[in-house]
Amino acid sequence: MKRLFILTSICLLFAFVNIQGKSSSTPFIYIDGNGVMRWSDTRQEASFFGVNYTLPFAHAYRALGYLGLDRKAAIDKDVYHITRLGLNAYRIHLWDVELTDEQGNLLENEHLDLMDYLIAKLKERNIHIIITAQTNFGNGYPERNIQTGGFSYKYDKCDVHSHPEAITAQETYLHNLVKHINPYTGIAYKDDPSIVGFEINNEPCHSGTKEEVKAYINRMLEAIHRTGNRKPVFYNVSHNEYVVEAYYETAIQGTTYQWYPIGLVSGQTQQGNFLPYIDRYDISFADKVKGFHKKARLIYEFDPADIMYSYMYPAMARTFRIAGFQWVTQFAYDPMDIAYANTEYQTHFLNLAYTPHKAISMKIAAEAARNLRRGESYGSYPQDTLFGGGFRVSYTEDLSELNNGRKYYYSNNTHSLPRNASQLMSIAGCGSSPVVHYEGTGAYFIDCLEAGVWRLEVMPDAVTVSDPFAKPSLAKEVVSIIYGCWDMALQIPDLGESFTLTALNKENQRKEETVKDGVIRNLQPGVYLLKRKNCTPKQNWTTDSRWNSIRLGEFAAPSPHTTDYKVIHNPAQVTEAGRDLTILAQVVGNTSPDSVIIYTDKVSFWNDHNPSIKMKRISGYSYQATIPAAELQEGCFKYNIIVCRGDSTHTYPAGNSVKGFSSGIKGNPLDWDYIADSYWTTRIVAPDSPIQLLSVTDTHSGIEAYTLPEWNDLKRTLIDFSPIEKPLLRFAFTSKGEKTHHFLRKSIQDVLKERKGKLKSCTTLCIRVNRHKNLPEGFYAGFITSDGYTYKTICSTPSPEGIIRIPLKKLHQADTALLPIAYPTFLKQYFHPETDIPFQMEKAEKLELSLLGKDKTESIIELGEIWLE
């Protein structure tokens, strides 16, 4: 194998002289003796940032078929969007079960054809590629597996790398795949400079010894080498840590890792400040394994899963660069044609049209990955939220930002002034800024083509109408696309306030016009050429003009799926009597409603006078109304929202409203035959009443339970002793090892924001427990704040009534447990704050209870109400 390593290194430095008619001037990637990826022409370090994208395979492939859509046309649209986000990297683990027979022979089928087509389209856009050759698992998720006859279906995932016949099949497959000639480029995979290299397999599950693992890898390397391949070969080292030394004793040149910092598949949208979770990426064996620093480092998959926030991606890119990674690819970019339902991987959700805020955050992260120096430190959280000469992330603003003088990108509304507005060359954003005022919710791009000439691209509006991370279905829309027409006000010095507007995309029928005050009226989604008054362009810019990797007139956007209005509304859980109640809602439809009205549960067809409150549109699709304090009595305030358009009315909610997302029912409560009885409800309490943080209602009661390490047993039971006693919620943790720690968390921010007056006078956290049982040792209570910091203290002995009272002044800053648990599991499980931030109760977002576990011992806590007084 030493001979193979030497040959590979020489070939990487001097190869590609005349491959398939391509000249030696076409740069390729090689890895130097220090494990650094470099360009062959300049010897400069390379940096790649992009996505995985799976349309040629598995569910994405089938879903396009279910919908009767052209898969190659879908690829064209998605690759265009990936290009607009400034991404330069693509990685995918090929589903070998869809590409092979039982012997590992490569099949010339539609999956391979689509992969070839995709590679060709990525190549046209100067996007580089890493191919992970095999997954060694089924093609079903989120459906059932479909038997294909591929060799991987014959073996268990953890046996496929040790079974002799399976190894032979993999050798055959890898050999044929690497030398496969792409008919769309005329170049074999092994010879295409756009393909950086090959990863042998995706997340291997080894069960053999160190020597057996080395032998397997060496056989795969030899099968690839026999094709004449001179590209680097990579291997996953973040799995099977027990044999990690074996990886570094082979001739692989690059090592691959993943990062899912807040776990996977929560089944719901996660909320909170997760910046402490991505402060560091410490590789546990970095200084223990010989040769670690001689191999390149790549992130094959990453994602802050189950969130719709837009503040995470650049911070993760920063941390990757600190840890020395040169290739970073998110998993996974959703095909636009099925992104409305987010069925492919419910825990991930990224698409320019459907998640515009996250997509712009990815664009900013790509800039960070290319511009931040490898290995450079930017301090620890919260100091590292400003970094790299123009990058900023903020949880409280849900914002990623790049502001470096020439580029001005923002993922959400921002008040940051551009560093040098007169030098701006590129603007991209969602929402409004000092340069662009816009009510629409889609992304937009404004790029300078030459002095006085700009290209404007505006995506349609996207509004979340159902939890994207709940159980998926192609029949359920999670984000609605609306072709709203909004004014856009521009303050770009190079463009001025007077300019011409010319539609460029072929579907756009808007006639050329002159804008005189910097405000484009009723701007519809599409692409436009903006030309400053009295400007004579040096170039004749037209729809077909090439600019960077696109044509000026290119535009891709989904058609709307929404037919009926949808109302998105989170009612206040509680508010105080004597205060007005503000009700906010989003009303989404293809047309604006004539009116939006609130009726309470007191209205009736038989009443002569039925009070109503009209909601006022405040921006975009957002409507607001104020319920006067005089109408709010202690108890429950129940109400409906009625949407009116022409002769049609619909009432919301209809049936159960799931976390703010509601369907409606035709008609309204004043119709004689209206029979629905669903309402939104807000509890009205006395201003001096305690602030209720937990009320036990069922086995969930809004509490999330975790353990560290992850694999420990938990049982939850609702205990009703008698009809006259309030129920308790019993948590029984069984530790499987030493130094276990159990956690209970509950979101409380929605309650606290409505009780700000009372909160100022609260001094004590009160917890009701079972008075008949002893409190377990090591039981702590406290809060996690919007800073992502944890403050807690040991619980005192309960009173005879079973009440633990904790003075808030006793809460002290502690480590934050990073839950849900991250992958890979070798990453640190706690954030250790280096900056002291005093506890402020008004910043509290989550209640946390924790207890220390004992090895193979059951730890029990039985909880009742929790409140502040």
Side-chain angles (χ1 to χ4, degrees), residues 36-58:
V36 179
M37 299 170 66
R38 297 186 181 276
W39 291 105
S40 61
D41 55 347
T42 65
R43 302 293 189 262
Q44 295 296 310
E45 289 189 18
S47 182
F48 297 96
F49 189 89
V51 292
N52 287 249
Y53 169 74
T54 69
L55 189 143
F57 304 101

Short mmCIF file of all heavy atoms in Angstrom, two decimals, residues 36-58:
data_model
loop_
_atom_site.label_atom_id
_atom_site.label_comp_id
_atom_site.label_asym_id
_atom_site.label_seq_id
_atom_site.Cartn_x
_atom_site.Cartn_y
_atom_site.Cartn_z
N VAL A 36 -3.91 19.29 2.82
CA VAL A 36 -4.61 20.51 2.39
C VAL A 36 -5.05 20.36 0.94
O VAL A 36 -4.23 20.03 0.06
CB VAL A 36 -3.71 21.75 2.54
CG1 VAL A 36 -4.44 23.00 2.06
CG2 VAL A 36 -3.28 21.91 4.00
N MET A 37 -6.31 20.61 0.66
CA MET A 37 -6.83 20.58 -0.70
C MET A 37 -6.39 21.85 -1.42
O MET A 37 -6.59 22.96 -0.91
CB MET A 37 -8.36 20.48 -0.69
CG MET A 37 -8.89 19.24 -0.01
SD MET A 37 -10.71 19.27 0.24
CE MET A 37 -11.28 19.24 -1.44
N ARG A 38 -5.81 21.68 -2.60
CA ARG A 38 -5.29 22.82 -3.35
C ARG A 38 -5.68 22.72 -4.82
O ARG A 38 -5.94 21.64 -5.35
CB ARG A 38 -3.76 22.90 -3.23
CG ARG A 38 -3.27 23.14 -1.82
CD ARG A 38 -1.77 23.37 -1.76
NE ARG A 38 -1.31 23.57 -0.39
CZ ARG A 38 -1.35 24.74 0.25
NH1 ARG A 38 -1.80 25.82 -0.38
NH2 ARG A 38 -0.91 24.85 1.50
N TRP A 39 -5.69 23.90 -5.47
CA TRP A 39 -5.94 23.97 -6.91
C TRP A 39 -4.65 23.67 -7.65
O TRP A 39 -3.57 24.15 -7.28
CB TRP A 39 -6.45 25.36 -7.31
CG TRP A 39 -7.84 25.64 -6.79
CD1 TRP A 39 -8.18 26.44 -5.75
CD2 TRP A 39 -9.06 25.10 -7.31
NE1 TRP A 39 -9.54 26.45 -5.58
CE2 TRP A 39 -10.11 25.63 -6.51
CE3 TRP A 39 -9.37 24.22 -8.35
CZ2 TRP A 39 -11.45 25.32 -6.75
CZ3 TRP A 39 -10.71 23.91 -8.58
CH2 TRP A 39 -11.73 24.45 -7.79
N SER A 40 -4.77 22.90 -8.73
CA SER A 40 -3.57 22.48 -9.47
C SER A 40 -2.88 23.62 -10.18
O SER A 40 -1.66 23.59 -10.36
CB SER A 40 -3.97 21.40 -10.49
OG SER A 40 -4.90 21.92 -11.43
N ASP A 41 -3.63 24.64 -10.57
CA ASP A 41 -3.01 25.72 -11.35
C ASP A 41 -2.33 26.77 -10.48
O ASP A 41 -1.26 27.27 -10.80
CB ASP A 41 -4.04 26.37 -12.29
CG ASP A 41 -5.27 26.88 -11.56
OD1 ASP A 41 -5.47 26.51 -10.38
OD2 ASP A 41 -6.05 27.63 -12.18
N THR A 42 -2.94 27.11 -9.35
CA THR A 42 -2.41 28.19 -8.51
C THR A 42 -1.74 27.70 -7.23
O THR A 42 -1.04 28.46 -6.57
CB THR A 42 -3.53 29.16 -8.11
OG1 THR A 42 -4.48 28.44 -7.27
CG2 THR A 42 -4.24 29.71 -9.34
N ARG A 43 -1.96 26.42 -6.88
CA ARG A 43 -1.50 25.84 -5.62
C ARG A 43 -2.14 26.51 -4.41
O ARG A 43 -1.71 26.33 -3.28
CB ARG A 43 0.04 25.91 -5.49
CG ARG A 43 0.79 25.22 -6.62
CD ARG A 43 0.57 23.70 -6.58
NE ARG A 43 1.45 23.00 -7.51
CZ ARG A 43 1.08 22.58 -8.72
NH1 ARG A 43 -0.15 22.82 -9.15
NH2 ARG A 43 1.93 21.94 -9.50
N GLN A 44 -3.19 27.31 -4.65
CA GLN A 44 -3.89 27.96 -3.55
C GLN A 44 -4.83 26.98 -2.87
O GLN A 44 -5.31 26.02 -3.47
CB GLN A 44 -4.69 29.16 -4.07
CG GLN A 44 -3.84 30.28 -4.65
CD GLN A 44 -2.95 30.90 -3.61
OE1 GLN A 44 -3.39 31.28 -2.53
NE2 GLN A 44 -1.66 31.01 -3.93
N GLU A 45 -5.10 27.25 -1.58
CA GLU A 45 -6.06 26.41 -0.87
C GLU A 45 -7.44 26.52 -1.50
O GLU A 45 -7.85 27.58 -1.97
CB GLU A 45 -6.15 26.83 0.60
CG GLU A 45 -4.93 26.50 1.42
CD GLU A 45 -5.18 26.73 2.90
OE1 GLU A 45 -6.36 26.82 3.31
OE2 GLU A 45 -4.19 26.83 3.64
N ALA A 46 -8.15 25.41 -1.49
CA ALA A 46 -9.52 25.38 -2.00
C ALA A 46 -10.50 25.39 -0.84
O ALA A 46 -10.18 24.95 0.27
CB ALA A 46 -9.74 24.13 -2.85
N SER A 47 -11.69 25.92 -1.08
CA SER A 47 -12.74 25.89 -0.08
C SER A 47 -14.07 25.72 -0.79
O SER A 47 -14.40 26.47 -1.71
CB SER A 47 -12.75 27.17 0.76
OG SER A 47 -13.76 27.10 1.75
N PHE A 48 -14.85 24.74 -0.34
CA PHE A 48 -16.11 24.41 -0.99
C PHE A 48 -17.24 24.42 0.03
O PHE A 48 -17.09 23.93 1.16
CB PHE A 48 -16.04 23.03 -1.65
CG PHE A 48 -15.03 22.93 -2.75
CD1 PHE A 48 -13.76 22.41 -2.50
CD2 PHE A 48 -15.33 23.34 -4.04
CE1 PHE A 48 -12.83 22.31 -3.51
CE2 PHE A 48 -14.41 23.24 -5.05
CZ PHE A 48 -13.14 22.72 -4.79
N PHE A 49 -18.39 24.93 -0.40
CA PHE A 49 -19.57 24.96 0.47
C PHE A 49 -20.79 24.74 -0.39
O PHE A 49 -20.98 25.43 -1.40
CB PHE A 49 -19.67 26.31 1.19
CG PHE A 49 -20.72 26.35 2.27
CD1 PHE A 49 -20.41 25.98 3.57
CD2 PHE A 49 -22.02 26.74 1.99
CE1 PHE A 49 -21.38 26.01 4.56
CE2 PHE A 49 -22.98 26.76 2.97
CZ PHE A 49 -22.67 26.41 4.27
N GLY A 50 -21.62 23.79 -0.03
CA GLY A 50 -22.77 23.50 -0.87
C GLY A 50 -23.77 22.57 -0.20
O GLY A 50 -23.97 22.62 1.01
N VAL A 51 -24.35 21.69 -1.00
CA VAL A 51 -25.46 20.86 -0.53
C VAL A 51 -25.38 19.44 -1.07
O VAL A 51 -24.71 19.17 -2.07
CB VAL A 51 -26.83 21.46 -0.96
CG1 VAL A 51 -27.10 22.76 -0.24
CG2 VAL A 51 -26.90 21.65 -2.48
N ASN A 52 -26.10 18.54 -0.42
CA ASN A 52 -26.52 17.28 -0.99
C ASN A 52 -27.86 17.53 -1.70
O ASN A 52 -28.60 18.45 -1.34
CB ASN A 52 -26.72 16.23 0.10
CG ASN A 52 -25.42 15.70 0.70
OD1 ASN A 52 -25.07 14.56 0.50
ND2 ASN A 52 -24.72 16.55 1.45
N TYR A 53 -28.18 16.68 -2.65
CA TYR A 53 -29.43 16.83 -3.42
C TYR A 53 -29.70 15.48 -4.06
O TYR A 53 -28.84 14.94 -4.77
CB TYR A 53 -29.26 17.94 -4.45
CG TYR A 53 -30.33 18.07 -5.49
CD1 TYR A 53 -31.58 18.61 -5.18
CD2 TYR A 53 -30.09 17.70 -6.82
CE1 TYR A 53 -32.55 18.76 -6.17
CE2 TYR A 53 -31.05 17.85 -7.80
CZ TYR A 53 -32.28 18.38 -7.47
OH TYR A 53 -33.24 18.53 -8.45
N THR A 54 -30.88 14.91 -3.84
CA THR A 54 -31.06 13.48 -4.10
C THR A 54 -32.05 13.14 -5.21
O THR A 54 -32.45 11.98 -5.33
CB THR A 54 -31.54 12.77 -2.81
OG1 THR A 54 -32.88 13.19 -2.52
CG2 THR A 54 -30.64 13.10 -1.63
N LEU A 55 -32.42 14.08 -6.05
CA LEU A 55 -33.50 13.82 -7.00
C LEU A 55 -33.31 12.58 -7.87
O LEU A 55 -34.31 11.92 -8.19
CB LEU A 55 -33.73 15.05 -7.87
CG LEU A 55 -34.97 15.00 -8.76
CD1 LEU A 55 -35.63 16.35 -8.88
CD2 LEU A 55 -34.66 14.46 -10.15
N PRO A 56 -32.12 12.19 -8.29
CA PRO A 56 -32.02 10.99 -9.14
C PRO A 56 -32.39 9.69 -8.45
O PRO A 56 -32.47 8.65 -9.11
CB PRO A 56 -30.54 10.98 -9.55
CG PRO A 56 -30.10 12.40 -9.43
CD PRO A 56 -30.83 12.90 -8.22
N PHE A 57 -32.62 9.72 -7.13
CA PHE A 57 -32.76 8.47 -6.39
C PHE A 57 -33.92 8.51 -5.40
O PHE A 57 -34.46 9.55 -5.05
CB PHE A 57 -31.46 8.18 -5.61
CG PHE A 57 -30.24 8.12 -6.48
CD1 PHE A 57 -29.37 9.20 -6.55
CD2 PHE A 57 -29.96 7.00 -7.23
CE1 PHE A 57 -28.24 9.16 -7.34
CE2 PHE A 57 -28.83 6.94 -8.03
CZ PHE A 57 -27.98 8.02 -8.10
N ALA A 58 -34.27 7.32 -4.94
CA ALA A 58 -35.11 7.08 -3.77
C ALA A 58 -36.42 7.88 -3.81
O ALA A 58 -37.06 7.98 -4.85
CB ALA A 58 -34.30 7.37 -2.51
#
